Amino acid sequence: MAGLRGGVAAVNITPPVGSYLQGYTRGKPSIGIHLDLYAKAIVFDDGDTKAALVTTDLIGLERTHVALMREEIARWTDIPPENVMICASHSHGGPTVQGLGWDEWGWLWGNPPDMDYARELAKKVGGLVAMADRNLRPVAVGFGLGDAGFNINRRRTLPEGTIVAPNPEGPCDHRVKVLKLLDLAQYETVGPDRPAPDPKAVLFQFTCHPTIMAMENLEVSPDFPGVAQTFIEEAWHGGPTSGTGLPDGPGALALFAQGCCGNIRPNLANEDGSRFRPGTKQDAHRLGRILGAEVVKICEETEVAAGAGPIRVATSSVSLDYTELPERSVLEELAAHGVDTHSGHLDTEGRPFGDAMWARHILSKLDKGPLPSAIEVELQAMRIGDLTIVGLPGEVFMEIGAQIEASIEGPSLILGYANGNHGYYCTQASYEVGGYEPAFSWMLYTHPAQFDPANEQRLVVAGRDVACRVWSDA
């Protein structure tokens, strides 16, 4: 079996102060920088096939923006575009990058995107992967598991009907998954009386909305995943600015990969645990350090062995249906008289987003032609030796990811916000209860109608199928 080489790199993608933040639409520009944002990459090579995994401290990306990044990567490397997975942490403290005007269905209603930043971001990601590709070295790898208990299911029905509240009885994934990479040459020269070499890279997954720095925050921030990454890197004196540059590359890099956190958030509750409270910077640092310390612990306890292939990558396109599309007369009535607003979101003129603004957007689409009855999304799977990575393009409920994972033997990472972010993918049962994710969020993503509840099964089948394909030659 072929040996495995790995290369890592990082690039700063912090936007300028004054950029509008995305996630919560505050109606105001940013006023400062809490912590820098980064894009990071690992390139894997088994001698026959190369694949790249990119992580970003961003809320998500449009599918067309992912295509631009893949084009830039192909421009500077020999990695096929279809062998690149680009993930977002889903931080709500990053710049407006969705709804860039290139996609038919994007986040078009709120903050103005910075097109210059978007173009530079695509070029930076291309150069990032090129740096990682030039830093390829034989690696030893290991996979470890731990847990962090600060996440919680956020869907509980209160007496007045509200369905956003801490639900300790609801499904939640507290696991922390870690892929550890060491430089093989350093690992093989270490004797029993010498400490193990520092990791080359640490890829870790946790399932939790990065929403500690909430709507009141006006500072650029990667939220708790950024704090955790810095904590891990500092444990080995690494990080994006450490090391001596190519060909040695940076010191130890930590890369955060978000799980299926559509219905999972930080457990920051009031004193009686009945409702969520706003988070603070102190909370972001406290919980980020808790997660980072758990990752370091897992790394120290995880055995490694010489990495081996094969590398396999597969993609699949799945059609996710909408329910009944609205009639023009209904849209015109809402555009003229709609009063319902959603989640406190504002546009840049301070106007609340709601039914009327959504209806005006959909009418503008209808004027150009029939509304689509479905949306096509990309699912992707990577096999790196014994590890399976499945990327899902949106805010996937935890139970959907768990169903896909249950079909996979061996270690796996089931990731959300991969290769795009097209909205919430909810369980069929959640539509019967209602609440923000199934009942309202599709308007915030400016879809023409609610998603079909049967999309849960479509995603599970497609996710299992694409994961199976990277093992079909085993």
Side-chain angles (χ1 to χ4, degrees), residues 63 67 71 84 121 179 207 236 253 255 288 298 366 401 425 429 465:
R63 189 170 182 175
E71 289 175 10
V84 176
L121 178 64
L179 178 67
T207 301
W236 292 289
L253 280 185
L255 300 86
I298 296 167
L366 187 58
Y425 303 138
D465 174 70

Side-chain angles (χ1 to χ4, degrees), residues 367-422:
D367 289 341
K368 298 175 183 178
L371 298 174
S373 60
I375 182 173
E376 293 289 325
V377 301
E378 175 190 347
L379 277 67
Q380 186 180 34
M382 286 185 176
R383 175 186 170 190
I384 312 296
D386 293 331
L387 174 68
T388 305
I389 305 173
V390 178
L392 307 173
E395 310 214 44
V396 185
F397 270 33
M398 194 221 79
E399 300 95 311
I400 295 176
Q403 291 177 71
I404 296 171
E405 181 179 358
S407 68
I408 299 171
E409 294 185 9
S412 66
L413 304 176
I414 313 299
L415 309 181
Y417 312 98
N419 302 325
N421 177 20
H422 308 293

Side-chain angles (χ1 to χ4, degrees), residues 51-52 63 66 70 80-86 312-318 376-383 389-393 418-419 461-472:
R63 189 170 182 175
V66 171
R70 286 170 165 168
E82 64 270 19
N83 284 16
V84 176
M85 183 182 293
I86 300 176
R312 298 287 185 268
V313 185
T315 60
S316 175
S317 180
V318 60
E376 293 289 325
V377 301
E378 175 190 347
L379 277 67
Q380 186 180 34
M382 286 185 176
R383 175 186 170 190
I389 305 173
V390 178
L392 307 173
N419 302 325
V461 170
R464 289 175 172 175
D465 174 70
V466 76
C468 182
R469 284 166 53 196
V470 297
W471 285 88
S472 60

Side-chain angles (χ1 to χ4, degrees), residues 12-252:
N12 191 308
I13 59 169
T14 307
V17 173
S19 301
Y20 282 84
L21 306 180
Q22 192 167 29
Y24 306 107
T25 304
R26 291 93 165 164
K28 301 176 183 178
S30 60
I31 60 173
I33 296 173
H34 169 223
L35 294 170
D36 281 333
L37 310 183
Y38 286 92
K40 301 174 182 177
I42 304 179
V43 172
F44 299 97
D45 179 9
D46 68 358
D48 296 316
T49 303
K50 287 184 179 179
L53 177 71
V54 178
T55 63
T56 64
D57 294 325
L58 299 170
I59 189 157
L61 296 164
E62 297 288 358
R63 189 170 182 175
T64 45
H65 203 186
V66 171
L68 284 179
M69 292 178 175
R70 286 170 165 168
E71 289 175 10
E72 286 292 330
I73 293 167
R75 179 183 175 192
W76 298 109
T77 75
D78 58 354
I79 304 171
E82 64 270 19
N83 284 16
V84 176
M85 183 182 293
I86 300 176
C87 304
S89 70
H90 198 55
S91 171
H92 286 43
T96 300
V97 286
Q98 291 188 234
L100 301 175
W102 300 325
D103 242 359
E104 180 73 9
W105 301 103
W107 197 319
L108 306 174
W109 54 266
N111 298 329
D114 185 335
M115 298 297 289
D116 290 336
Y117 175 86
R119 295 185 183 97
E120 182 181 6
L121 178 64
K123 292 180 179 179
K124 280 189 171 183
V125 169
L128 164 72
V129 176
M131 287 192 294
D133 186 49
R134 290 195 296 270
N135 190 27
L136 287 168
R137 297 287 185 278
V139 291
V141 299
F143 186 84
L145 286 172
D147 66 271
F150 65 80
N151 56 343
I152 193 169
N153 190 289
R154 72 184 190 182
R155 287 178 51 83
R156 179 166 65 91
T157 305
L158 299 177
E160 66 270 26
T162 302
I163 309 178
V164 178
N167 184 6
E169 305 303 320
C172 188
D173 186 355
H174 299 297
R175 293 173 300 170
V176 180
K177 299 181 176 183
V178 174
L179 178 67
K180 172 183 175 182
L181 276 70
L182 300 180
D183 187 298
L184 182 61
Q186 294 180 5
Y187 171 71
E188 290 179 333
T189 59
V190 170
D193 58 341
R194 297 180 59 191
D198 295 341
K200 183 182 182 76
V202 177
L203 173 65
F204 67 106
Q205 179 205 323
F206 187 60
T207 301
C208 184
H209 255 77
T211 50
I212 297 174
M213 304 289 285
M215 186 175 287
E216 293 75 17
N217 172 57
L218 290 176
E219 294 185 2
V220 174
S221 175
D223 212 282
F224 76 84
V227 176
Q229 290 173 82
T230 300
F231 184 96
I232 296 160
E233 290 164 349
E234 290 180 348
W236 292 289
H237 309 288
T241 59
S242 66
T244 57
L246 294 171
D248 299 324

Side-chain angles (χ1 to χ4, degrees), residues 224 227-228 231 282-294:
F224 76 84
V227 176
F231 184 96
Q282 288 81 0
D283 290 320
H285 282 269
R286 175 174 59 87
L287 299 182
R289 288 192 296 264
I290 288 172
L291 178 57
E294 180 66 9

